[in-house]
Amino acid sequence: RSKDTGKNKFTMFCRNMEEELSRNAQILEILRSAISSKEVYVKYQPQYNISTNTITGFEALMRINNSKLGNISPAEFIPIAEESGLIIGLGEWILREACTFNKSLLDQGFTPCIVSVNISTVQINHPDFVSMVDSVLKETNLPPQYLELEITESTLVSSLIDATILLSNLQNLGVHVSLDDFGTGYSSLNYLTTIPINTLKIDKSFVDNISKNDKDACIADAIIQLAHSIQVDVIAEGVEHEEQLIVLKKKNCDIVQGYIFSKPLLPSALINLLKNT
Ligand code: C2E
Ligand code: MG
Ligand code: MG
Ligand code: MG
């Protein structure tokens, strides 16, 4: 019996691996042509200032919809885009989309908002990164203070290039920089005071239990206080419940992003929301 099971398991393992390989290969092909086939698009998730109750920004999130595989999650396609280098083109594409969209909102007379765009380690390590951002800003005419680049803590720590130099080059362009998924990487809190950033995003994993777990609440409190002491704004990510919001307000968190206010929206839906708030 055991022999048979072992053999079956092995066959099954191979089949799973084959399936996974072919799914990855399919996604790679989808990514290669995603821009020309218009299978890549952007959703924007609003960010609310919780003391003024207004939308002050929105995060651009990449979406892929393929006729055969349907919606593919960024958790699945971003790593494939990074390994293949396709993130360079896709990352530039979403940056241009986001800047064009935000410029059009400014032109329509909406209260200015900051659009934030996620940047991958692979993009950061590309020698032309800063000049690419500069040309997209010039090309789209978006004033740089209305663009924020989200860089993760682990990107900064593992990056080949000097993080301090990169961040000051970006600040010299006039764009904002935020530290995404904060708390999940390996940087010390002290690191925060040595790098130039504008915003810090507390990772959802800390926010999840903020109203139930005293330790998580203490960590959030410490992060918010430290950030404020160095003039950095704090965004709480993935806020879903009223109880979390109450704690975050009490701790003077500046901005909240999460399903409690809104899921990521198509551009037209975000425009409707801005019109009605
Ligand atoms: P992230 O940058 O930390 O983005 C926040 C993620 O949390 C998004 O997932 C968003 O839809 C989700 N989220 C927001 N509020 C809630 C909530 O209340 N509950 C729950 N359960 N989830 C919430 P998404 O869009 O699936 O993106 C996942 C990750 O993929 C992003 O994490 C980011 O690291 C990456 N990603 C997405 N778009 C891009 C992109 O254009 N470029 C790069 N390099 N990475 C991207
Ligand atoms: Mg992000
Ligand atoms: Mg995040
Ligand atoms: Mg994340």
Side-chain angles (χ1 to χ4, degrees):
R1 185 183 177 262
S2 68
K3 246 189 187 168
D4 261 16
T5 317
K7 201 175 172 191
N8 284 341
K9 264 193 189 150
F10 183 71
T11 319
M12 218 148 66
F13 173 71
C14 286
R15 195 171 304 141
N16 285 344
M17 237 171 68
E18 232 169 72
E19 274 165 15
E20 202 179 295
L21 273 178
S22 82
R23 184 171 164 92
N24 282 4
Q26 284 179 68
I27 293 175
L28 184 61
E29 282 320 300
I30 292 166
L31 292 176
R32 252 188 239 293
S33 59
I35 297 173
S36 59
S37 67
K38 298 198 159 56
E39 291 188 328
V40 58
Y41 63 102
V42 193
K43 280 195 172 179
Y44 297 96
Q45 188 178 32
Q47 300 168 330
Y48 286 77
N49 179 312
I50 50 175
S51 49
T52 59
N53 273 316
T54 53
I55 298 175
T56 50
F58 38 85
E59 178 175 7
L61 294 159
M62 202 183 288
R63 296 289 178 260
I64 299 268
N65 186 278
N66 173 254
S67 48
K68 210 167 130 206
L69 298 188
N71 291 322
I72 308 165
S73 131
E76 191 174 16
F77 73 73
I78 293 288
I80 299 174
E82 290 180 324
E83 272 167 44
S84 59
L86 290 170
I87 194 70
I88 297 294
L90 287 165
E92 180 173 343
W93 176 84
I94 194 171
L95 181 70
R96 186 173 289 111
E97 281 289 309
C99 291
T100 305
F101 178 58
N102 203 19
K103 173 69 167 115
S104 83
L105 295 181
L106 289 176
D107 290 346
Q108 288 170 67
F110 288 107
T111 310
C113 282
I114 295 178
V115 66
S116 55
V117 178
N118 292 287
I119 304 295
S120 146
T121 314
V122 177
Q123 290 176 279
I124 292 289
N125 287 331
H126 194 282
D128 295 337
F129 178 68
V130 176
S131 65
M132 183 278 285
V133 174
D134 191 30
S135 16
V136 169
L137 284 167
K138 291 196 168 114
E139 191 187 306
T140 59
N141 282 318
L142 179 71
Q145 70 265 32
Y146 301 124
L147 173 65
E148 183 158 85
L149 303 178
E150 295 196 4
I151 297 170
T152 66
E153 197 185 5
S154 29
T155 288
L156 285 189
V157 175
S158 69
S159 176
L160 304 174
I161 43 99
D162 185 318
T164 316
I165 295 176
L166 172 88
L167 295 184
S168 18
N169 286 341
L170 288 174
Q171 300 237 337
N172 287 340
L173 291 184
V175 302
H176 290 236
V177 175
S178 74
L179 210 49
D180 201 0
D181 302 345
F182 189 78
T184 61
Y186 293 97
S187 67
S188 67
L189 285 183
N190 175 50
Y191 184 67
L192 261 193
T193 63
T194 66
I195 53 162
I197 54 158
N198 306 86
T199 316
L200 192 153
K201 300 188 80 174
I202 306 181
D203 193 66
K204 181 177 183 302
S205 57
F206 292 106
V207 174
D208 281 341
N209 293 313
I210 205 170
S211 63
K212 294 185 215 128
N213 180 321
D214 282 347
K215 276 188 190 150
D216 284 352
C218 284
I219 292 174
D221 198 37
I223 294 175
I224 293 168
Q225 288 198 38
L226 175 63
H228 285 170
S229 74
I230 54 168
Q231 279 79 51
V232 164
D233 282 340
V234 180
I235 301 183
E237 288 196 289
V239 180
E240 294 177 346
H241 309 292
E242 190 67 35
E243 305 86 74
Q244 296 169 303
L245 191 60
I246 293 168
V247 176
L248 289 163
K249 275 187 180 158
K250 208 159 66 193
K251 298 195 181 304
N252 285 318
C253 178
D254 306 283
I255 296 164
V256 159
Q257 180 182 346
Y259 294 174
I260 189 171
F261 289 123
S262 173
K263 293 201 165 180
L265 303 170
L266 287 173
S268 56
L270 180 71
I271 290 174
N272 283 333
L273 185 66
L274 291 172
K275 278 181 183 159
N276 297 316
T277 44

